[in-house]
Amino acid sequence: TQLLEQSPQFLSIQEGENLTVYCNSSSVFSSLQWYRQEPGEGPVLLVTVVTGGEVKKLKRLTFQFGDARKDSSLHITAAQPGDTGLYLCAGKINAGNMLTFGGGTRLMVKP
Amino acid sequence: NAGVTQTPKFQVLKTGQSMTLQCAQDMNHNSMYWYRQDPGMGLRLIYYSASEGTTDKGEVPNGYNVSRLNKREFSLRLESAAPSQTSVYFCASTEAVPWEGLRRTQYFGPGTRLLVL
């Protein structure tokens, strides 16, 4: 069982649709990051959230950190083919020195 | 500025062979990491180096060794490769040390795809 569970694992939608992906845990995280990874490349950081209840917006992407700092969501408005990729959440537990990644959500946006 | 570079890009090994994966960063970062990525598993930390001269085990260190050669370079060695080590390996670096939390960006290399037969 992974410390960070992401859902759904796969998502295929049409251009223009909205979507939300989730990152859940039973552990409390001091901070959490979202990455996007394209085929053949390493992950690229999208955002870091550190405060419970925090909401950050990056153009059409909205990121929310749960009040209890155990979960997070990523909402994409009017998805575009360029949003296609693997979305990974990663968190740091308070007392730990390691970054823990979720299994990822693979998103495909069809034209 | 090349960022984080990794060599080789692809490698096929036979069970029992050894090899070293190389990683270098030109951003003067303190901390460097080695991850492996398997389908549906996200990235799992193998080893990390918080600063030059120090290394620590991550989540899945068995079967691997690392060397922080200098501030720029962090290598990962497989002494006796096993099929279970077939994976994509990513090196990453960040300016911050791990206990500073995630307030700094981790920069990833393009990965090394390893197949162990």
Side-chain angles (χ1 to χ4, degrees):
Chain A
T1 305
Q2 286 192 280
L3 201 56
L4 277 169
E5 296 285 342
Q6 289 191 243
S7 60
Q9 285 188 305
F10 302 97
L11 189 56
S12 180
I13 61 172
Q14 292 295 132
E15 182 176 2
E17 292 183 5
N18 301 332
L19 66 116
T20 302
V21 298
Y22 301 92
C23 175
N24 294 297
S25 177
S26 57
S27 299
V28 175
F29 288 91
S30 58
S31 48
L32 193 138
Q33 294 182 324
W34 284 91
Y35 290 81
R36 188 174 84 194
Q37 184 180 17
E38 299 191 16
E41 298 182 7
V44 175
L45 181 68
L46 296 173
V47 76
T48 301
V49 286
V50 297
T51 306
E54 183 176 2
V55 176
K56 280 193 174 179
K57 291 191 175 183
L58 185 65
K59 296 183 180 178
R60 293 175 294 101
L61 278 62
T62 302
F63 304 86
Q64 184 161 7
F65 200 14
D67 290 340
R69 291 185 287 130
K70 292 183 178 182
D71 55 83
S72 182
S73 64
L74 159 60
H75 181 79
I76 302 179
T77 303
Q80 298 177 1
D83 295 326
T84 293
L86 178 67
Y87 288 82
L88 296 160
C89 65
K92 181 182 176 296
I93 297 175
N94 276 324
N97 285 337
M98 297 187 294
L99 190 59
T100 300
F101 279 82
T105 292
R106 193 165 296 279
L107 172 65
M108 176 175 290
V109 183
K110 301 176 185 175
Chain B
N1 230 2
V4 180
T5 57
Q6 292 184 236
T7 56
K9 290 186 178 180
F10 304 96
Q11 185 71 48
V12 179
L13 291 178
K14 294 181 179 179
T15 296
Q17 288 186 315
S18 62
M19 78 162 293
T20 300
L21 283 67
Q22 307 286 354
C23 173
Q25 51 90 10
D26 61 2
M27 296 174 281
N28 201 36
H29 284 170
N30 290 315
S31 300
M32 297 184 74
Y33 306 80
W34 275 106
Y35 294 91
R36 59 177 289 173
Q37 185 174 35
D38 302 295
M41 298 292 291
L43 283 88
R44 291 182 292 170
L45 184 64
I46 304 171
Y47 270 93
Y48 68 96
S49 171
S51 58
E52 187 179 354
T54 68
T55 60
D56 283 287
K57 295 179 180 179
E59 182 184 355
V60 289
N62 291 344
Y64 304 95
N65 285 300
V66 290
S67 295
R68 183 75 182 266
L69 304 170
N70 47 55
K71 193 171 186 179
R72 286 189 64 247
E73 299 170 289
F74 188 37
S75 63
L76 178 71
R77 182 158 179 85
L78 286 70
E79 290 291 351
S80 179
S84 61
Q85 294 178 305
T86 293
S87 188
V88 183
Y89 291 86
F90 287 98
C91 177
S93 72
T94 182
E95 186 179 3
V97 294
W99 48 87
E100 289 184 349
L102 297 184
R103 297 179 187 274
R104 306 290 181 92
T105 300
Q106 262 198 33
Y107 294 87
F108 284 83
T112 294
R113 283 145 188 82
L114 176 65
L115 173 63
V116 183
L117 302 174

